[in-house]
Amino acid sequence: MIHAFFQVVATAGMIAAGGDPPPPSQPIGDGSTSIARYTGSLRNVEVTTPFVTAADIDVDGRIVELHWEQAALLDGFTQFNPVEGSEASQKTEVLVLVDNDALYFAVRAYDDAPGEIRATLSERDSYGFSDDYIRFILDTYDDQRRAYVFTVNPLGVQHDGLWNESGGGTGRRGRGMFSPIDDSPDFLWSSEAHITDWGYEAEIRIPFKSLRFPDVEDQSWGLQIERKIQRNGFESSWAPITANVANRLTQAGKLNALRNLDMGLSLEINPVATGAWNGEIDEFGQFGHLDPTGEFGINAAYGITSNLKLDATINPDFSQVEADAGQVQVNERFSLFFPEQRPFFLEGTEIFGMPKQLVYTRTIANPIAGGKLTGKVGSLNVGYLGAIDEGFDADANTYVNLVRLRQDVGASSTLGAVYTDRTVDANDFNRVAGADARIQLAGRYTFTLMGAQSFTNNALLAGRTEGRMGAFRFERAGRAFSINAELEDSQAGFDAGSGFFQRIGDTQFNSRAAYNWFGTRGSFLESVNPSLEVKGYWDHDAFWDGQGLEESEIQLSNRVSFKNNITVWANVQRTMFEYRPEQYATLFVEQPDGSFSPFLPDQSLFNGLTGMSVGLWFNNWERVRGNVRLSFNDTPIFDRRVGVAVEPAKSRSGEVRLNLYPIRPLRAEVSVNFSRLERARDGAEHSTAVIPRIRAQYQFSRALFLRTIFEYGHQESAALMDPVTGRPLYLCQDSDCSARAGSVSNDFRIEGLVGYEPSPGTVFYLGYTREMEDASAFGFENVRPTRDGLFMKLSYLFRM
C-alpha cells in the first residue's frame, strides 16, 4: 500500500459514506513502497509511464483505488510566476498511469488555507481567470509546437483546448499578457474533484479516442503540469519553466515507454434537431411572427488513423452560439474583428492559423454543408476545409475551399503553405496562395516570414485584379528584457476574400521593447514592467517611392503588479496623421449656392496629437473582481467610408467590467463600454456611445444552467462637416453626391437560455431572444420590437 496517502483500509468506510480521508501525514512515495518518483525541481522529468491492462478506477475525485499504487509520482513543483525558479508555495502531487484505452491522472493539491480556495460551479471553459486549477499539457506528437490542454478546477469543472506555439487559434489576453491557449475546441474526457480540509483532490481520465498521436509502436509524449492559486496569482509547474526560452513546450517533461497505443474505431455521429419560431417587422412596418420551422442536421467525425481526422456537416446549426458582445462603432476607421465561436469551424483551428489571418472562417456566413480533413502525417500538418455558403436573398451560393500545409523543421521551426478559394462562378471568384515560415534560434529568438498573392474577379470589376502582401517579424524572448519588431506590406489590389485584414494598401512597421523587474518572494511590489512601442504607416506606393510617413504613434507604458492580484497600468502616446490630397478626391463641401467644392483639411491639425490611458485590474477579492480602463486622447474624426481624417477631436472613453461571484453556482458579469468625442474647434459633441451589458448564469449542476443576457447599445454621431465653414460634407462618386449624415441607434437585446450539456455534442437548449428599438436613449417608454426568436435544440453524440 502507499503509506499515509491512500490509507485505503483504514478510511474505506468513511469514504464510502461520503467523507474525506484525513490529510496524509507523509507524501506519496515516502519510502514504504517502490513507487517511481519524478521530482521536477531536480529536473527528473523523464517518466517511464506505468501500464496496466485495464485500470479499475472510478473517476469520482477520491483517490482510493488499488491501481493507483502502480502509478508514477510526479512532485517537486517550482514557481514560474511571479518568482521564477523558487519552490512552489503549496505542495502538489500527481499520479499518472495508462491502460489499453486511456491516460489517467490523480492530483492532491495541498493548501494551508483551504477555506480560501477559489472554485465556482460553472460551465466548461469559463473559469481561467477566476478559479484555482490544475492544468495538464500533453504534446502527443512531441514536436514542441502543439499540445492538448486539460484543466480542472477544485470542483472538477473542465476547461480544455489546444496550446499553439507556432501561432494560430484564438488565444486570449488577460492582465496584459497573451496566452497561446485556444480554448475553443472541446474534447470528451472525464474528471471529478472536491475540496477537502487540507486542499483538494482530483481524478482525470483522457481516452485515447479523444487524442491524435503518431501511428507508431513506441512513442514519447511531452508533459507539463501547471497549478494556479487565484487568490495570490501564484503559478507553479512540475517541469521548471523560464521566460528566457521562447517556446514553453520545449521545457516540458516526457511520458516515455508508451507502446502499442490503439484508439480503436473512432467514429462520432452527432444528429441535431432544431425548432424555431421567429418574429420580425414586415414590409408595412408591422411586427409579426412567421410560421414555426424545424430543421435536421448531422455532424460526423471519423478517425481515419490515430493522426488523421475527417469531419463533415450537413445543415449545421449555430443557434446556441452566444451573440457577440457589442463594440463601439461610432468613429471606427476599419472593420471590427469578432472571434469564431461556431463548433464545426473550431475543429482543427490551430492548423489553419498563420502569422496573418488569411483564413477567417466567419467569412463563411451561412453554410449549407461542409467537410474538413485535419491531422499530421509524419512531420507534416495537413488541413482542408470545404463548404457551400448559401447566398442571401437572390444571391448565388459560394463554394469555399481552404488548404493548409505546415512542415515541422528542426526542433521547433516550421514551413507552411496555404491556398484559399471562394468561387461563385467562372467570372466571380477570389483566390489566394501564400507561404510562411517560423524559425526559432538559440531558444529565445523567433523569426516569422509570410507572403501571399491574391487573384480576384467579379462582376463589378472590368477585369482580374491581383495583389501581393508580405510580412516579417522578429522576437526576442526574455524574463527581464524582450523585444519584437514587425514589417507588413500589402498592395492596394490584394484581397484576402477568406481572411481578415483591417488595412490594405499600406506598409506598416511596429516594434515593442519591454523590461520586467520582479520583486522578491512575498514582497508587496511583485513586478514593474515598462515598455516602449512605436508604429509607423505608409501608403504602399509612397513607401517604395521613398516618401514620408502617413501615420505614426509612439507609446510609453508601464504595468505595476502588487501582491494579491492587483495590477495598475498607464500609458502616454503621441500620434501623427498625414494624408495625401488624392485621398480626399471624393469628399466635397456644399456651398451656399448649392454647388460643391473639394474638401481638404489643414494637415497640421493632425500632427502631435497626444493621449493617455490608465487602468486597474483586481482579482484579490473572492466575490468581486474586474477591471477599469479610462482613456483621454486627441484623435481625428474619421470618415469611415473613405478612411481619412476630417477634423481633430477630444476623445473620452473607457470600460468598467465587474465579475461577481455571490455564491458558487452563480456568476455575473456587469460591464459598461463608453466613448465620447468632442470637436476640438468648439467643444461640441460629435459622437457618443454607451453600451451596458449584464450577463448572469446560474449553474444547477456541471451540466445544467440558466443564462440571461441584457445588452443596450446607444450609439450616436453627428454629420461630418467642414471645420472651417461648418457646412456639410458630401461623398461624390460618378456625379452622385450623398451627405455624410450622422446616425443614431438605441437598440437593446434580451436573451434567455436553459442549457443541458453533459458532454460536448450532447446538448439540449431552449432559448428566447428579443431585440428592441428605443425611441430615446435609455428612455424605455416608446419601445418597439424589431426581431425575436424562440428556439430549441436537441443533439446527441454517438461515439463508437
Side-chain angles (χ1 to χ4, degrees), residues 8-49:
V8 178
V9 176
T11 62
M14 180 171 57
I15 293 169
D20 297 325
S25 58
Q26 299 180 33
I28 311 171
D30 61 348
S32 62
T33 71
S34 58
I35 188 170
R37 183 181 216 144
Y38 300 89
T39 302
S41 58
L42 301 177
R43 299 192 179 274
N44 181 17
V45 293
E46 296 275 345
V47 179
T48 300
T49 313

Side-chain angles (χ1 to χ4, degrees), residues 698-750:
Y698 187 87
Q699 206 79 25
F700 298 96
S701 67
R702 282 173 53 181
L704 180 64
F705 66 88
L706 171 64
R707 182 174 71 209
T708 60
I709 297 175
F710 171 83
E711 180 177 293
Y712 194 107
H714 165 62
Q715 304 201 55
E716 181 177 1
S717 62
L720 296 178
M721 295 184 293
D722 178 6
V724 177
T725 65
R727 300 194 62 79
L729 289 184
Y730 280 73
L731 178 67
C732 297
Q733 295 176 312
D734 300 326
S735 301
D736 181 19
C737 294
S738 59
R740 308 304 289 129
S743 63
V744 59
S745 64
N746 300 301
D747 304 319
F748 64 97
R749 183 180 78 247
I750 299 174

Side-chain angles (χ1 to χ4, degrees), residues 21 68 197 201 238 242 279 290 297 304 354 452 517 529 583 612 719 749 752 759 785 796:
W68 284 122
D197 57 3
E201 63 180 346
W238 169 59
T242 174
L290 307 175
I304 300 173
M354 282 163 283
W517 174 88
N529 315 114
Q583 293 176 280
M612 69 171 295
R749 183 180 78 247
S759 60
Y796 187 84

Side-chain angles (χ1 to χ4, degrees), residues 637-653:
I637 294 174
F638 294 105
D639 185 317
R640 182 175 179 179
R641 185 168 177 182
V642 181
V644 295
V646 173
E647 62 175 307
K650 299 288 185 181
S651 171
R652 308 291 182 265
S653 65

Side-chain angles (χ1 to χ4, degrees), residues 345-511:
F345 293 107
L346 294 173
E347 176 66 35
T349 182
E350 79 287 350
I351 293 178
F352 293 95
M354 282 163 283
K356 297 299 175 181
Q357 197 130 14
L358 289 179
V359 174
Y360 179 51
T361 51
R362 287 191 68 149
T363 57
I364 306 172
N366 191 27
I368 299 172
K372 184 185 295 186
L373 176 66
T374 55
K376 190 168 187 178
V377 180
S379 58
L380 179 66
N381 295 271
V382 296
Y384 166 76
L385 170 63
I388 304 173
D389 197 12
E390 184 175 11
F392 292 97
D393 298 326
D395 294 340
N397 295 338
T398 301
Y399 298 86
V400 180
N401 290 282
L402 312 173
V403 180
R404 172 69 168 154
L405 302 174
R406 190 175 67 226
Q407 174 69 45
D408 296 345
V409 178
S412 53
S413 301
T414 59
L415 297 174
V418 63
Y419 175 76
T420 72
D421 180 7
R422 293 179 59 87
T423 297
V424 177
D425 56 43
N427 298 312
D428 191 347
F429 60 81
N430 171 265
R431 293 161 189 163
V432 178
D436 61 281
R438 185 174 187 267
I439 302 168
Q440 284 197 332
L441 299 175
R444 69 167 75 217
Y445 300 99
T446 304
F447 299 87
T448 306
L449 302 92
M450 183 171 187
Q453 172 96 28
S454 70
F455 309 89
T456 305
N457 211 84
N458 63 53
L460 300 178
L461 301 175
R464 177 182 296 183
T465 61
E466 300 181 3
R468 294 186 297 274
M469 69 78 56
F472 170 80
R473 180 177 177 86
F474 160 77
E475 299 172 82
R476 178 196 186 272
R479 176 168 170 81
F481 176 72
S482 61
I483 188 171
N484 63 62
E486 181 176 11
L487 180 68
E488 178 184 339
D489 178 68
S490 62
Q491 296 178 328
F494 179 73
D495 181 6
S498 295
F500 181 88
F501 284 75
Q502 284 192 320
R503 302 179 69 141
I504 294 296
D506 284 351
T507 301
Q508 310 171 32
F509 172 81
N510 68 78
S511 179

Side-chain angles (χ1 to χ4, degrees), residues 166-315:
S166 57
T170 60
R172 299 190 312 275
R173 288 197 177 272
R175 205 177 178 184
M177 296 170 284
F178 179 73
S179 167
I181 299 175
D182 179 357
D183 55 15
S184 303
D186 290 325
F187 308 105
L188 284 172
W189 51 293
S190 304
S191 64
E192 287 292 345
H194 69 287
I195 298 173
T196 71
D197 57 3
W198 47 262
Y200 64 94
E201 63 180 346
E203 288 182 310
I204 292 172
R205 180 182 185 272
I206 304 172
F208 294 137
K209 287 180 182 291
S210 296
L211 303 173
R212 294 291 170 265
F213 46 85
D215 189 13
V216 296
E217 183 176 349
D218 295 297
Q219 52 191 291
S220 297
W221 293 358
L223 173 66
Q224 182 63 280
I225 307 170
E226 298 178 357
R227 178 182 178 183
K228 182 159 189 179
I229 302 171
Q230 286 288 354
R231 65 179 180 271
N232 52 29
F234 288 179
E235 295 180 275
S236 59
S237 63
W238 169 59
I241 292 174
T242 174
N244 290 320
V245 175
N247 188 336
R248 284 263 288 270
L249 295 182
T250 62
Q251 304 176 62
K254 290 286 192 296
L255 286 179
N256 297 322
L258 296 169
R259 298 187 177 93
N260 301 313
L261 299 184
D262 183 9
M263 64 189 303
L265 175 65
S266 179
L267 175 63
E268 296 177 355
I269 299 176
N270 187 204
V272 181
T274 60
W277 188 30
N278 298 320
E280 60 184 32
I281 296 177
D282 62 22
E283 56 184 321
F284 304 106
Q286 299 298 314
F287 185 86
H289 285 91
L290 307 175
D291 293 333
T293 60
E295 292 189 350
F296 179 81
I298 190 166
N299 307 309
Y302 176 62
I304 300 173
T305 64
S306 64
N307 55 347
L308 280 176
K309 185 178 181 182
L310 178 65
D311 293 88
T313 184
I314 299 175
N315 196 26

Side-chain angles (χ1 to χ4, degrees), residues 482-561:
S482 61
I483 188 171
N484 63 62
E486 181 176 11
L487 180 68
E488 178 184 339
D489 178 68
S490 62
Q491 296 178 328
F494 179 73
D495 181 6
S498 295
F500 181 88
F501 284 75
Q502 284 192 320
R503 302 179 69 141
I504 294 296
D506 284 351
T507 301
Q508 310 171 32
F509 172 81
N510 68 78
S511 179
R512 182 177 185 271
Y515 179 80
N516 301 314
W517 174 88
F518 297 92
T520 59
R521 182 165 179 152
S523 62
F524 174 71
L525 187 62
E526 287 189 346
S527 65
V528 179
N529 315 114
S531 64
L532 177 66
E533 186 171 6
V534 295
K535 299 178 181 179
Y537 301 86
W538 296 259
D539 173 78
H540 166 81
D541 294 333
F543 176 81
W544 293 105
D545 290 340
Q547 299 179 26
L549 282 164
E550 181 180 86
E551 181 181 336
S552 65
E553 176 182 313
I554 182 168
Q555 178 173 285
L556 179 63
S557 305
N558 193 19
R559 189 177 76 246
V560 181
S561 296

